[in-house]
Amino acid sequence: MDEFTLLATQVVPSERQLKWQQTEFYAFVHFGINTFTDREWGTGKENPKLFNPTELDADQWVSVFKSAGMRGLILTCKHHDGFCLWPSRYTSHSVASSDWRGGKGDVVREVSEACRRGGIKFGFYLSPWDRHEPTYGDSDAYNRFFLGQLRELLTSYGEIFSVWFDGACGEGPNGKRQVYDWEAYYRLIRELQPGAVISVCGPDVRWCGNEAGHCRASEWSVVPAVLREAERTAEKSQKVDDGTFARRINTADEDLGSRDAIQGVRDLVWYPAEVNTSIRPGWFYHAAEDDGVRTVDELLRIYYGSVGGNACLLLNVPPDRRGLIHEADAAVLHELGRVIRDTFATDLARHAKAVASHTLDSEHGIENIFDDNPDTYWCPPLGIEQPVIEVDLGQEVTFDRVVLCEHIRSGQRIENFTVAYRSGDDWVECYRGTVVGYKRICCLDRTNTRYVRVHITSSRGYPTLSRLGFYLEKR
Ligand code: FUL
């Protein structure tokens, strides 16, 4: 192992990053003045009276999201147009100036309380770019304003799991220039909500680099630290300089963490990816897009690629003008959730026994891969980078999904692996994978066998596995 790969094995997630990773799949909710003007980006000049949902019911949102298997919700409390979904003390451009609930309403309160009631996590999106606020561009004044709003959201709505900062700014070359005081924003969040991750323009969770639902085949959580700045700069690209040569690295690059990608990089961080995409063409609700809701098959593909590819999935589902999740979206999400629940309800390895070519000690025995405890795991001694595990499923079973999880508290180590099944006296390879990380869901053709072999063909120092499961998709 070269020195940079060794350095990479020493990088581990923070407690808040681990909790966030376990959230796996959660909803993004774009709702606001744009819902009522049929736009994607508002101008900031909209009349607040336009905001008037007729049947807003946050419990309906939560129940639809839970039926999909989502474990959290991130609400656009303020989008680029500056309209606030809560009665902020710092501006009148908010629900307080609308007629909704007689000007006494608070969408953030209703949604955060519905999340609590439903047992899912709540987080918020607060757009730094603000096209309404007059101080925007007067850097110090706007930073004070923004910190004030941030404090309101961080202190009035219970526990927050994610604060999502968007890097978008459409001011253009002749527009206003605002210098954000990111460090002050981060300090306030750490002080008031130490358990919250700060996502995208923040140090904890990395934007996957596209909004289309494209997932990398090899998603690394250990990446060069300069990527943390990429989203906060107009260029979205940063220079890595190892003293001998310099190259640019961008959040959208396909390879961010392989041995090649981290060669020469001493400053590495745990910066896991979140895939954010919308169930519809736009982020906000548009009646004209009711026929454009993504299909269950498409969403399943994205789910396997993201949640099953060492990332989290933040799926946007925008409420309509009634303030409800439209029937078309609700139906697709319900079926998506059913497939995921039914598929992973039965682990076909529950009577399995396994033998590993190498095991460190009795505490790290191979039986740990069959329990549901992410803190118990199997590993071989240091220096064993290519061990083999043979599984006897106890009887012939048919499966088409194989789940592997690393013990990521010990870092991300697996680089390549294969899965093979026994057919007569032969081993037939049925899957070839790269990284595992928090979770890898391998999608393969239906396979009928009693014996399976997982060969880790390359890893960093030694691999770990906290879970190995076999499932049959119930589509
Ligand atoms: C982008 C924004 O400009 C879009 O309106 C949307 O909020 C998306 C999630 O992020 O940068």
Side-chain angles (χ1 to χ4, degrees):
M1 214 181 356
D2 62 83
E3 63 170 306
F4 302 103
T5 311
L6 179 65
L7 279 175
T9 63
Q10 288 155 9
V11 181
V12 295
S14 66
E15 234 18 74
R16 66 172 77 86
Q17 286 173 316
L18 269 174
K19 289 236 168 61
W20 161 83
Q21 190 97 49
Q22 289 163 349
T23 314
E24 295 192 354
F25 181 28
Y26 38 96
F28 212 179
V29 178
H30 278 67
F31 185 58
I33 211 79
N34 295 336
T35 313
F36 299 89
T37 55
D38 223 3
R39 295 180 68 127
E40 278 292 306
W41 277 9
T43 61
K45 299 192 170 67
E46 293 84 1
N47 184 341
K49 298 240 182 287
L50 290 169
F51 183 85
N52 198 13
T54 47
E55 300 169 48
L56 192 142
D57 179 0
D59 288 309
Q60 185 256 1
W61 306 4
V62 170
S63 117
V64 169
F65 298 154
K66 283 176 70 178
S67 83
M70 294 168 161
R71 300 176 183 161
L73 180 167
I74 297 179
L75 175 67
T76 55
C77 294
K78 178 185 88 169
H79 203 251
H80 309 324
D81 52 72
F83 180 79
C84 298
L85 292 181
W86 81 103
S88 173
R89 270 187 285 138
Y90 298 91
T91 179
S92 57
H93 199 55
S94 79
V95 281
S97 304
S98 76
D99 294 331
W100 177 67
R101 308 253 195 267
K104 298 271 177 281
D106 182 343
V107 182
V108 183
R109 174 143 337 270
E110 293 191 18
V111 176
S112 58
E113 288 179 354
C115 288
R116 264 1 122 205
R117 275 193 294 278
I120 65 170
K121 301 180 187 182
F122 177 72
F124 65 83
Y125 166 116
L126 184 68
S127 173
W129 182 36
D130 188 324
R131 305 180 85 177
H132 176 84
E133 171 53 29
T135 60
Y136 186 86
D138 175 352
S139 292
D140 290 347
Y142 181 75
N143 282 325
R144 279 195 297 279
F145 167 86
F146 192 79
L147 282 164
Q149 293 201 321
L150 203 48
R151 182 180 285 277
E152 289 180 324
L153 292 173
L154 292 166
T155 53
S156 314
Y157 302 100
E159 194 179 337
I160 302 297
F161 87 101
S162 167
V163 177
W164 213 95
F165 286 143
D166 191 338
C169 176
E171 286 292 323
N174 302 319
K176 295 178 179 175
R177 283 276 157 274
Q178 167 69 33
V179 181
Y180 300 119
D181 190 351
W182 295 110
E183 294 309 322
Y185 307 167
Y186 301 164
R187 268 198 306 278
L188 191 69
I189 297 165
R190 293 295 196 237
E191 177 199 325
L192 299 172
Q193 294 277 352
V197 288
I198 310 172
S199 305
V200 185
C201 287
D204 302 317
V205 173
R206 168 170 54 87
W207 182 46
C208 68
N210 72 88
E211 294 179 338
H214 169 72
C215 311
R216 287 184 183 82
S218 308
E219 188 62 86
W220 283 96
S221 295
V222 181
V223 295
V226 289
L227 278 168
R228 282 181 168 166
E229 277 101 67
E231 274 322 298
R232 304 187 328 203
T233 63
E235 263 195 78
K236 310 231 160 178
S237 160
Q238 295 287 319
K239 207 159 91 190
V240 181
D241 196 342
D242 68 0
T244 52
F245 67 98
R247 65 200 145 89
R248 299 204 78 81
I249 189 160
N250 184 309
T251 30
D253 289 353
E254 198 51 32
D255 180 8
L256 299 175
S258 73
R259 289 191 192 211
D260 279 351
I262 60 171
Q263 267 314 299
V265 188
R266 263 170 232 291
D267 197 5
L268 292 162
V269 287
W270 191 271
Y271 197 28
E274 179 185 74
V275 172
N276 72 310
T277 192
S278 185
I279 196 169
R280 288 164 171 255
W283 292 102
F284 285 88
Y285 177 83
H286 308 288
E289 294 179 354
D290 283 351
D291 293 334
V293 177
R294 287 176 125 141
T295 62
V296 175
D297 286 330
E298 219 180 323
L299 293 174
L300 261 179
R301 186 181 50 75
I302 297 171
Y303 177 86
Y304 289 133
S306 53
V307 176
N310 192 37
C312 281
L313 175 55
L314 173 59
L315 179 65
N316 181 65
V317 188
D320 61 18
R321 288 187 183 177
R322 293 172 300 175
L324 297 174
I325 304 301
H326 190 270
E327 290 73 4
D329 310 59
V332 167
L333 288 171
H334 187 78
E335 175 61 7
L336 174 71
R338 188 205 58 76
V339 177
I340 297 172
R341 258 189 313 279
D342 288 357
T343 301
F344 295 104
T346 317
D347 183 357
L348 300 163
R350 63 193 180 287
H351 303 302
K353 294 214 161 21
V355 181
S357 61
H358 305 77
T359 295
L360 174 63
D361 55 26
S362 58
E363 195 191 324
H364 299 90
I366 194 68
E367 65 283 357
N368 290 332
I369 63 175
F370 296 129
D371 70 31
D372 278 330
N373 183 349
D375 296 323
T376 63
Y377 63 101
W378 157 84
C379 70
L382 177 65
I384 303 296
E385 297 184 334
Q386 303 180 318
V388 179
I389 297 168
E390 271 184 31
V391 180
D392 175 355
L393 292 163
Q395 60 186 54
E396 288 230 325
V397 298
T398 305
F399 58 85
D400 56 11
R401 301 286 176 266
V402 179
V403 172
L404 289 85
C405 300
E406 278 181 78
H407 179 252
I408 55 173
R409 281 182 197 276
S410 305
Q412 188 181 355
R413 294 166 173 274
I414 297 176
E415 295 174 312
N416 286 286
F417 67 96
T418 59
V419 181
Y421 66 92
R422 201 163 86 188
S423 163
D425 290 336
D426 299 324
W427 287 100
V428 183
E429 186 179 301
C430 52
Y431 190 85
R432 193 171 269 261
T434 60
V435 305
V436 174
Y438 169 75
K439 188 187 278 191
R440 161 71 60 193
I441 304 176
C442 312
C443 300
L444 42 148
D445 291 339
R446 279 190 172 205
T447 305
N448 186 56
T449 190
R450 175 169 168 178
Y451 301 100
V452 180
R453 183 185 268 178
V454 175
H455 186 181
I456 291 154
T457 48
S458 67
S459 65
R460 298 176 174 180
Y462 62 89
T464 69
L465 276 185
S466 70
R467 187 91 187 82
L468 178 63
F470 296 82
Y471 306 89
L472 182 63
E473 191 187 70
K474 303 284 169 27
R475 178 73 179 96

